[in-house]
Amino acid sequence: MTAKHMDVREVLKRNNIKQVLCAFSDIRGYLMTFSVPAREFIEGNALEDGIGFDGASIRGFKTIEQSDMVWKPDPETLRIVPWINDPIHKTAIIFGDVYEAGGENLADCDPRGFVAKSLQKKLAEEGKSVILGPEIEFFVFENLDPMCLAWDLWTSPNGGAGDSWGPPRVMPKSPELTPGKNFIIRPKEGYFRPPPEDTTVEYRNELVHYLEQMGVIVEYHHHEVATAGQVELDFKPMGLVPAGDAFYIYKFAAKNLAAMRGWIATFMPRPLYLDNASGMHVHQSLWEGEPFKGKNLFADPDDEFGLSQKARYYIGGLLEHAKALTALCCPTVNSYKRLVPGFEAPIYICWSPGNRSALVRVPMYLKKPSAIRIEYRGADPSCNPYLAFTAMIAAGLDGIKKKIDPGDPIMKDVYELSPEEKKELGIGELPTTLRDALDHLASDEVIQKVLGSHIFDSFMSIKIDEWNQYCLYITPWEYMKYMDI
């Protein structure tokens, strides 16, 4: 028994924990959990031996004839679920890795253990580390009826007229307010709006409170650009696997606290028609030694933008692999309804300091060495973070290895450039559909290698099937557009 195992037992006993949520992710990025009575961790061998489960029931993991798998906990990830105080339901959550039957070998279908941990270990062996700071946006709605979607001319009962012409929004429950008539935030005007227009402040405050109790420290939070209900909370940067774990804690807390209010938190990239969508800009930097203690390999105080040559090559790698990365970073059909002009989404493959119209941005708030980083803007919160983060880093490292020149930074608003100007500057575009992105992933050997053959094949199969389902579905828009043809 290790000291870490003793610590887990002590925490569970001291806090009178009754149930432990055992967590991992499937290939698509869905959080998977199952509950184990805490006594199995305190008195039994769950910490050492893990728990067996049916891998055939997890999308993309195993076929039925070889479905026995073992989940083993990572003791460092134990967290008390702080909003559950009932002594019968007192719960902790702990992340783990997935092993093949027998519990000896990591399973090649596990995004956390096989993909993200492997790259993190490889970097550590080279004396390096990465830190990641994702900006995760999402929406909270008071209710959501797919057959009555405001801002959708095709399914709204009044055809988008009158009172129905407005997005789903979270409204206070106060009786003196008439929902839909007070404190309306117009589309694209939600950024940094204060109360009472922003009705999500108390929810965000609660979310920050509980996230910090679970070890996810929030730097700041605010209402986002879209109309009522779009929010963003940014947590302090951390290493590769911890950032993936924090992503899921963030989602887990956001959804549960919204449900406690009778609301719905959704990380669907674009839930609203004709308004801004939710992205996930990922800040990242490469370090020699431990983050913030060693040397930031992206920093060069003599450079006009504070960037080292390694950082520029890293950017070159991101741009080189951007089209393939998009399949992992924007992995849903809905993702590509975000990647369109006019809504601040990155669609052009270029880089720039401080320029939010570029795919890769170099934040210019501070030029001190510890703050130098790059921001990859081509991801959204529907992704599997273990896969997306690892693939981004692999692309950047490939740029350093091959010394890929990113070209000159684009200092203009790329959205305003003519097609001829973009062509002259060598600015390409991200894929416009999930199918296009999958085709690029299928030809990118660097990204395929870091995923491993099993995850690559399973991801492609799942997503091609998803695309085919979408192509076959007849939408309300099609009836409205073509019934009288």
Side-chain angles (χ1 to χ4, degrees):
M1 185 186 303
T2 67
K4 291 178 181 178
H5 289 165
M6 287 293 293
D7 290 344
V8 168
R9 289 182 165 93
E10 179 59 32
V11 170
L12 295 176
K13 286 194 290 187
R14 186 173 65 246
N15 289 277
N16 297 312
I17 299 300
K18 301 301 182 185
Q19 302 292 331
V20 178
L21 277 176
C22 303
F24 62 101
S25 85
D26 74 357
I27 288 173
R28 298 169 300 169
Y30 283 78
L31 179 66
M32 303 281 110
T33 65
F34 57 95
S35 294
V36 173
R39 69 171 181 276
E40 295 297 316
F41 285 86
I42 297 169
E43 302 170 7
N45 297 318
L47 278 168
E48 292 85 0
D49 297 341
I51 307 290
F53 71 97
D54 173 13
S57 294
I58 305 297
R59 290 288 301 277
F61 268 30
K62 291 290 182 178
T63 52
I64 195 166
E65 73 274 10
Q66 50 179 201
S67 55
D68 284 354
M69 306 198 78
V70 178
W71 172 93
K72 287 190 175 183
D74 181 341
E76 295 181 351
T77 68
L78 180 72
R79 296 168 169 92
I80 309 301
V81 179
W83 56 83
I84 300 177
N85 296 310
D86 187 309
I88 295 176
H89 304 292
K90 194 70 175 167
T91 300
I93 185 170
I94 187 169
F95 288 84
D97 300 320
V98 179
Y99 287 74
E100 301 288 357
E104 298 295 327
N105 300 312
L106 274 170
D108 59 1
C109 58
D110 179 19
R112 183 182 192 270
F114 188 78
V115 178
K117 264 194 172 180
S118 294
L119 182 58
Q120 183 172 268
K121 181 180 178 182
K122 179 183 176 184
L123 284 169
E125 290 170 350
E126 297 173 356
K128 298 185 180 69
S129 60
V130 293
I131 59 170
L132 300 158
E135 301 176 2
I136 307 171
E137 300 170 348
F138 66 101
F139 283 86
V140 282
F141 296 141
E142 193 172 53
N143 55 70
L144 183 62
D145 180 356
M147 296 307 297
C148 183
L149 297 178
W151 269 122
D152 192 329
L153 282 72
W154 319 116
T155 59
S156 297
N158 298 327
D163 292 341
S164 73
W165 187 250
R169 56 184 172 272
V170 173
M171 294 298 295
K173 297 291 187 181
S174 305
E176 67 272 14
L177 295 179
T178 304
K181 302 297 183 182
N182 303 81
F183 309 133
I184 293 175
I185 297 178
R186 291 174 292 276
K188 292 185 158 190
E189 294 187 19
Y191 192 67
F192 278 18
R193 291 297 288 270
E197 292 94 337
D198 174 10
T199 59
T200 66
V201 173
E202 291 182 0
Y203 165 74
R204 298 201 316 270
N205 290 342
E206 288 180 8
L207 184 50
V208 170
H209 174 74
Y210 288 122
L211 283 174
E212 295 199 345
Q213 289 187 45
M214 299 180 81
V216 180
I217 308 304
V218 175
E219 290 188 322
Y220 69 99
H221 58 98
H222 57 88
H223 199 287
E224 254 300 338
V225 173
T227 189
Q230 191 187 31
V231 300
E232 178 183 315
L233 296 87
D234 300 338
F235 56 78
K236 285 186 177 295
M238 53 187 75
L240 171 52
V241 174
D245 295 346
F247 172 99
Y248 283 114
I249 290 294
Y250 180 111
K251 272 192 173 182
F252 179 72
K255 289 182 177 183
N256 277 277
L257 293 176
M260 289 164 62
R261 288 172 167 261
W263 295 356
I264 298 167
T266 178
F267 292 79
M268 175 181 178
R270 182 185 283 282
L272 300 183
Y273 177 51
L274 295 181
D275 206 344
N276 276 33
S278 292
M280 187 180 73
H281 307 147
V282 183
H283 297 254
Q284 47 203 284
S285 56
L286 180 66
W287 290 68
E288 188 177 89
E290 294 183 41
F292 299 118
K293 294 181 181 179
K295 177 184 177 183
N296 184 354
L297 296 176
F298 280 5
D300 179 355
D302 297 326
D303 182 77
E304 60 177 319
F305 307 128
L307 289 177
S308 69
Q309 188 60 57
K310 273 190 171 66
R312 290 173 185 263
Y313 289 149
Y314 189 99
I315 292 171
L318 286 172
L319 299 181
E320 178 78 13
H321 296 282
K323 293 182 180 182
L325 283 175
T326 308
L328 295 166
C329 295
C330 303
T332 68
V333 168
N334 183 255
S335 298
Y336 296 83
K337 298 184 179 183
R338 167 181 169 259
L339 297 178
V340 295
F343 296 92
E344 299 186 24
I347 58 175
Y348 299 114
I349 302 173
C350 59
W351 76 282
S352 182
N355 183 349
R356 285 176 169 80
S357 67
L359 176 62
V360 177
R361 187 177 79 94
V362 179
M364 301 299 292
Y365 306 117
L366 297 171
K367 286 191 177 182
K368 62 181 183 180
S370 63
I372 297 299
R373 60 195 187 276
I374 66 98
E375 175 192 1
Y376 188 77
R377 297 173 63 81
D380 70 47
S382 70
C383 71
N384 182 317
Y386 302 124
L387 300 183
F389 294 162
T390 303
M392 286 182 217
I393 295 164
L397 293 176
D398 187 58
I400 293 174
K401 178 183 176 181
K402 296 176 180 174
K403 297 184 178 181
I404 299 174
D405 184 359
D408 294 331
I410 304 301
M411 309 304 288
K412 299 178 180 180
D413 181 349
V414 187
Y415 300 127
E416 298 299 321
L417 297 178
S418 68
E420 291 76 18
E421 289 174 307
K422 289 196 285 282
K423 183 177 181 180
E424 184 178 332
L425 292 167
I427 300 173
E429 294 188 18
L430 292 180
T432 57
T433 68
L434 177 60
R435 181 69 221 214
D436 291 342
L438 292 171
D439 288 342
H440 287 289
L441 178 59
S443 62
D444 193 308
E445 294 181 0
V446 170
I447 305 303
Q448 287 182 40
K449 182 178 179 180
V450 79
L451 296 178
S453 60
H454 180 97
I455 286 183
F456 168 73
D457 289 342
S458 294
F459 182 86
M460 291 291 290
S461 176
I462 289 169
K463 290 301 171 179
I464 288 173
D465 182 60
E466 192 173 311
W467 173 253
N468 289 339
Q469 289 178 39
Y470 171 71
C471 289
L472 289 171
Y473 179 68
I474 313 303
T475 65
W477 180 88
E478 290 170 88
Y479 283 104
M480 294 298 296
K481 193 77 172 175
Y482 303 126
M483 276 293 287
D484 61 348
I485 201 164

